[in-house]
Coordinates of all heavy atoms in Angstrom, one line a residue:
M1 N -27.4 27.9 27.0 CA -28.1 26.8 27.6 C -27.2 26.2 28.7 O -26.0 26.1 28.5 CB -28.3 25.7 26.5 CG -29.6 26.1 25.7 SD -30.1 24.8 24.7 CE -29.1 25.0 23.3
S2 N -27.8 25.8 29.7 CA -27.1 25.2 30.8 C -27.9 24.1 31.5 O -29.0 23.7 31.0 CB -26.7 26.3 31.9 OG -27.9 26.8 32.4
G3 N -27.4 23.6 32.5 CA -28.1 22.5 33.2 C -27.6 21.2 32.8 O -28.2 20.2 33.2
R4 N -26.6 21.2 32.0 CA -26.0 19.9 31.6 C -25.0 19.4 32.6 O -23.9 20.0 32.6 CB -25.4 20.0 30.2 CG -24.9 18.7 29.7 CD -24.5 18.8 28.2 NE -24.1 17.5 27.7 CZ -23.7 17.3 26.5 NH1 -23.7 18.3 25.6 NH2 -23.2 16.1 26.1
S5 N -25.3 18.5 33.4 CA -24.4 18.0 34.4 C -23.7 16.8 33.9 O -24.2 16.0 33.1 CB -25.1 17.8 35.7 OG -26.1 16.8 35.5
E6 N -22.5 16.6 34.4 CA -21.8 15.4 34.1 C -22.4 14.1 34.7 O -22.8 14.2 35.9 CB -20.3 15.4 34.6 CG -19.5 16.3 33.7 CD -18.0 16.3 34.1 OE1 -17.6 15.2 34.5 OE2 -17.3 17.3 34.0
R7 N -22.6 13.2 34.0 CA -23.2 11.9 34.5 C -22.2 10.8 34.4 O -21.6 10.6 33.3 CB -24.4 11.6 33.7 CG -25.6 12.5 33.9 CD -26.7 12.2 33.0 NE -27.1 10.8 33.0 CZ -28.2 10.3 32.6 NH1 -29.1 11.1 32.1 NH2 -28.4 9.0 32.6
S8 N -22.0 10.2 35.5 CA -21.1 9.0 35.5 C -21.9 7.8 34.9 O -23.0 7.5 35.3 CB -20.6 8.7 36.9 OG -21.7 8.5 37.8
I9 N -21.2 7.1 34.1 CA -21.8 5.9 33.5 C -21.7 4.8 34.5 O -20.6 4.4 34.9 CB -21.1 5.6 32.2 CG1 -21.1 6.7 31.2 CG2 -21.7 4.3 31.6 CD1 -20.2 6.5 30.0
P10 N -22.8 4.2 34.8 CA -22.9 3.2 35.8 C -22.4 1.8 35.2 O -23.2 1.0 34.8 CB -24.3 3.1 36.2 CG -25.1 3.6 35.0 CD -24.2 4.6 34.3
W11 N -21.1 1.7 35.2 CA -20.5 0.4 34.7 C -20.8 -0.6 35.8 O -20.1 -0.6 36.8 CB -19.1 0.5 34.5 CG -18.8 1.5 33.3 CD1 -18.2 2.7 33.4 CD2 -19.0 1.3 31.9 NE1 -18.1 3.3 32.2 CE2 -18.6 2.4 31.2 CE3 -19.6 0.2 31.2 CZ2 -18.7 2.5 29.9 CZ3 -19.7 0.3 29.8 CH2 -19.3 1.5 29.2
K12 N -21.6 -1.5 35.5 CA -21.9 -2.6 36.5 C -21.0 -3.8 36.3 O -21.1 -4.4 35.3 CB -23.4 -3.0 36.4 CG -24.4 -2.0 36.9 CD -24.5 -2.1 38.4 CE -25.6 -1.2 38.9 NZ -25.8 -1.4 40.4
V13 N -20.1 -4.0 37.2 CA -19.2 -5.1 37.0 C -19.3 -6.0 38.2 O -18.4 -6.7 38.6 CB -17.7 -4.6 36.9 CG1 -17.6 -3.9 35.6 CG2 -17.4 -3.6 38.1
G14 N -20.4 -5.9 38.9 CA -20.6 -6.8 40.1 C -20.8 -8.2 39.8 O -20.3 -9.1 40.4
A15 N -21.6 -8.5 38.7 CA -21.9 -9.8 38.4 C -20.8 -10.4 37.5 O -20.5 -10.0 36.4 CB -23.2 -9.9 37.6
A16 N -20.1 -11.4 38.1 CA -19.0 -12.0 37.4 C -19.4 -13.4 36.9 O -18.5 -14.1 36.5 CB -17.8 -12.1 38.3
S17 N -20.6 -13.7 36.8 CA -21.1 -15.0 36.5 C -20.8 -15.3 35.0 O -20.6 -16.4 34.6 CB -22.6 -15.2 36.7 OG -23.3 -14.2 36.0
A18 N -20.7 -14.2 34.2 CA -20.5 -14.4 32.8 C -19.0 -14.7 32.5 O -18.7 -15.2 31.4 CB -20.9 -13.2 32.0
C19 N -18.2 -14.4 33.5 CA -16.8 -14.6 33.2 C -16.3 -15.8 34.0 O -15.3 -16.5 33.6 CB -16.0 -13.4 33.7 SG -16.4 -11.9 32.7
A20 N -16.9 -16.1 35.1 CA -16.4 -17.2 36.0 C -16.8 -18.5 35.4 O -17.9 -18.7 34.9 CB -16.9 -17.0 37.4
P21 N -15.9 -19.4 35.3 CA -16.2 -20.7 34.8 C -17.0 -21.6 35.8 O -16.5 -22.2 36.6 CB -14.8 -21.4 34.6 CG -13.9 -20.7 35.6 CD -14.5 -19.3 35.7
V22 N -18.3 -21.5 35.6 CA -19.2 -22.2 36.4 C -19.9 -23.3 35.6 O -20.5 -23.1 34.6 CB -20.3 -21.3 37.0 CG1 -21.3 -22.1 37.9 CG2 -19.7 -20.2 37.8
C23 N -19.6 -24.5 36.1 CA -20.2 -25.7 35.3 C -21.7 -25.7 35.5 O -22.2 -25.7 36.7 CB -19.6 -27.0 35.8 SG -20.1 -28.4 35.0
G24 N -22.4 -25.7 34.4 CA -23.9 -25.8 34.5 C -24.6 -24.5 34.2 O -25.8 -24.5 34.1
D25 N -23.8 -23.5 33.9 CA -24.4 -22.2 33.5 C -24.6 -22.1 32.0 O -25.0 -21.0 31.5 CB -23.6 -21.0 34.1 CG -22.2 -20.9 33.6 OD1 -21.8 -21.8 32.8 OD2 -21.5 -20.0 33.9
G26 N -24.1 -23.1 31.3 CA -24.3 -23.1 29.8 C -23.2 -22.3 29.1 O -23.2 -22.2 27.9
I27 N -22.2 -21.8 29.9 CA -21.1 -21.1 29.3 C -19.9 -21.9 29.4 O -19.4 -22.2 30.5 CB -21.0 -19.7 29.9 CG1 -22.3 -18.9 29.8 CG2 -19.8 -19.0 29.3 CD1 -22.3 -17.6 30.6
E28 N -19.3 -22.3 28.3 CA -18.0 -23.0 28.4 C -16.9 -22.1 28.6 O -16.6 -21.2 27.8 CB -17.9 -23.8 27.1 CG -16.6 -24.7 27.1 CD -16.4 -25.4 25.8 OE1 -17.4 -25.6 25.1 OE2 -15.3 -25.7 25.4
A29 N -16.3 -22.2 29.7 CA -15.2 -21.3 30.0 C -14.2 -22.0 30.9 O -14.5 -23.0 31.6 CB -15.7 -20.0 30.7
G30 N -13.0 -21.4 31.0 CA -12.0 -21.9 31.8 C -11.6 -23.4 31.5 O -11.4 -23.7 30.4
P31 N -11.6 -24.2 32.5 CA -11.1 -25.6 32.4 C -12.2 -26.5 31.8 O -12.0 -27.7 31.7 CB -10.8 -26.0 33.8 CG -11.6 -25.2 34.7 CD -11.8 -23.9 33.9
E32 N -13.4 -25.9 31.6 CA -14.5 -26.8 31.2 C -14.3 -27.2 29.7 O -14.0 -26.4 28.8 CB -15.8 -26.0 31.3 CG -16.1 -25.5 32.7 CD -17.3 -24.6 32.7 OE1 -17.8 -24.2 31.6 OE2 -17.7 -24.2 33.8
E33 N -14.5 -28.5 29.5 CA -14.5 -29.0 28.1 C -15.8 -28.8 27.4 O -15.9 -28.8 26.2 CB -14.1 -30.5 28.2 CG -12.7 -30.7 28.8 CD -12.4 -32.2 28.9 OE1 -13.3 -33.0 28.6 OE2 -11.3 -32.6 29.2
C34 N -16.8 -28.7 28.2 CA -18.2 -28.5 27.7 C -19.1 -27.9 28.8 O -18.7 -27.9 29.9 CB -18.8 -29.8 27.2 SG -18.8 -31.1 28.5
D35 N -20.2 -27.4 28.4 CA -21.1 -26.9 29.4 C -22.5 -26.9 28.7 O -22.8 -26.1 27.9 CB -20.8 -25.6 29.9 CG -21.5 -25.2 31.2 OD1 -22.7 -25.7 31.3 OD2 -20.9 -24.5 32.0
D36 N -23.3 -27.9 29.0 CA -24.6 -28.0 28.4 C -25.7 -27.4 29.2 O -26.9 -27.6 29.0 CB -24.9 -29.5 28.1 CG -24.8 -30.4 29.3 OD1 -24.5 -29.8 30.4 OD2 -25.1 -31.6 29.2
G37 N -25.4 -26.7 30.2 CA -26.3 -25.9 31.0 C -26.9 -26.7 32.2 O -27.8 -26.3 32.8
N38 N -26.3 -27.9 32.5 CA -26.7 -28.6 33.6 C -25.5 -29.3 34.3 O -24.4 -29.2 33.7 CB -27.8 -29.6 33.3 CG -27.3 -30.6 32.3 OD1 -26.3 -31.2 32.4 ND2 -28.2 -30.9 31.3
T39 N -25.7 -29.9 35.4 CA -24.6 -30.6 36.1 C -25.0 -32.0 36.2 O -24.8 -32.7 37.2 CB -24.4 -30.0 37.5 OG1 -25.6 -29.9 38.2 CG2 -23.7 -28.6 37.3
T40 N -25.6 -32.5 35.1 CA -26.0 -33.9 35.1 C -25.0 -34.8 34.3 O -24.7 -34.4 33.2 CB -27.4 -34.1 34.5 OG1 -28.3 -33.2 35.2 CG2 -27.9 -35.5 34.5
S41 N -24.6 -35.8 34.9 CA -23.7 -36.7 34.2 C -24.5 -37.7 33.3 O -25.6 -38.0 33.6 CB -22.8 -37.5 35.2 OG -22.0 -36.6 36.0
G42 N -23.8 -38.2 32.3 CA -24.5 -39.2 31.5 C -25.2 -38.6 30.2 O -25.7 -39.4 29.5
D43 N -25.1 -37.3 30.0 CA -25.8 -36.8 28.9 C -24.8 -36.2 27.9 O -25.1 -35.5 27.0 CB -26.8 -35.7 29.3 CG -26.1 -34.6 30.1 OD1 -24.9 -34.6 30.3 OD2 -26.9 -33.6 30.5
G44 N -23.6 -36.6 28.0 CA -22.5 -36.2 27.1 C -21.6 -35.2 27.7 O -20.4 -35.1 27.3
C45 N -22.1 -34.5 28.7 CA -21.2 -33.6 29.4 C -21.4 -33.8 30.9 O -22.5 -33.6 31.4 CB -21.6 -32.1 29.0 SG -20.5 -30.9 29.7
S46 N -20.4 -34.2 31.5 CA -20.5 -34.6 32.9 C -20.8 -33.5 33.9 O -20.8 -32.3 33.5 CB -19.2 -35.4 33.3 OG -18.2 -34.4 33.6
S47 N -21.0 -33.9 35.1 CA -21.3 -32.9 36.2 C -20.1 -32.0 36.5 O -20.3 -30.9 37.1 CB -21.7 -33.6 37.5 OG -20.7 -34.4 37.9
T48 N -18.9 -32.4 36.0 CA -17.8 -31.5 36.2 C -17.4 -30.9 34.9 O -16.3 -30.4 34.7 CB -16.6 -32.3 36.7 OG1 -16.4 -33.5 35.9 CG2 -16.9 -32.8 38.1
C49 N -18.3 -30.9 33.9 CA -18.1 -30.3 32.6 C -16.9 -30.8 31.9 O -16.1 -30.1 31.3 CB -18.0 -28.7 32.8 SG -19.6 -27.9 33.0
H50 N -16.8 -32.1 31.9 CA -15.9 -32.8 31.0 C -16.7 -33.7 30.0 O -17.7 -34.2 30.4 CB -15.0 -33.8 31.9 CG -14.0 -33.0 32.7 ND1 -12.8 -32.5 32.1 CD2 -14.0 -32.6 34.0 CE1 -12.1 -31.8 33.1 NE2 -12.8 -31.9 34.2
V51 N -16.2 -33.7 28.8 CA -16.9 -34.5 27.8 C -16.9 -35.9 28.1 O -15.9 -36.5 28.4 CB -16.2 -34.2 26.4 CG1 -16.8 -35.1 25.3 CG2 -16.2 -32.8 26.0
E52 N -18.1 -36.5 28.0 CA -18.2 -37.9 28.3 C -18.3 -38.7 27.0 O -18.9 -38.2 26.0 CB -19.5 -38.2 29.1 CG -19.5 -37.5 30.5 CD -20.8 -37.7 31.2 OE1 -21.9 -37.6 30.6 OE2 -20.8 -38.1 32.4
D53 N -17.7 -39.8 27.0 CA -17.8 -40.7 25.9 C -19.0 -41.6 26.0 O -19.0 -42.5 26.8 CB -16.5 -41.5 25.8 CG -16.3 -42.0 24.3 OD1 -17.3 -42.1 23.6 OD2 -15.1 -42.4 24.0
D54 N -19.9 -41.4 25.2 CA -21.2 -42.1 25.3 C -21.0 -43.5 24.6 O -21.6 -43.7 23.6 CB -22.3 -41.3 24.7 CG -23.7 -42.0 24.9 OD1 -23.7 -42.9 25.8 OD2 -24.7 -41.6 24.3
G55 N -20.2 -44.3 25.1 CA -20.0 -45.5 24.5 C -20.3 -46.6 25.4 O -20.2 -47.8 25.1
Ligands
CA1 CA1 -24.7 -32.5 31.4

């Protein structure tokens, strides 16, 4: 039997959004204290992804 060619596995590493600490993407990473998926202040997690004291 033949015809079996080597196939390179397409490792897609182009999208770095899952690793990069982007405030508002819902992923708490890097310097972010929180990330609730938005960049709205006043809801407990500020626009810069710092925990807000709702007091
Ligand atoms: Ca927020």
Side-chain angles (χ1 to χ4, degrees):
M1 280 192 277
S2 62
R4 183 173 181 178
S5 58
E6 284 187 34
R7 290 176 47 166
S8 58
I9 303 172
W11 296 108
K12 288 278 187 178
V13 290
S17 58
C19 297
V22 179
C23 183
D25 62 356
I27 301 172
E28 185 183 330
E32 299 172 355
E33 296 177 353
C34 59
D35 196 326
D36 57 357
N38 61 46
T39 52
T40 305
S41 298
D43 58 1
C45 185
S46 75
S47 60
T48 53
C49 279
H50 287 280
V51 176
E52 298 179 314
D53 200 339
D54 190 12

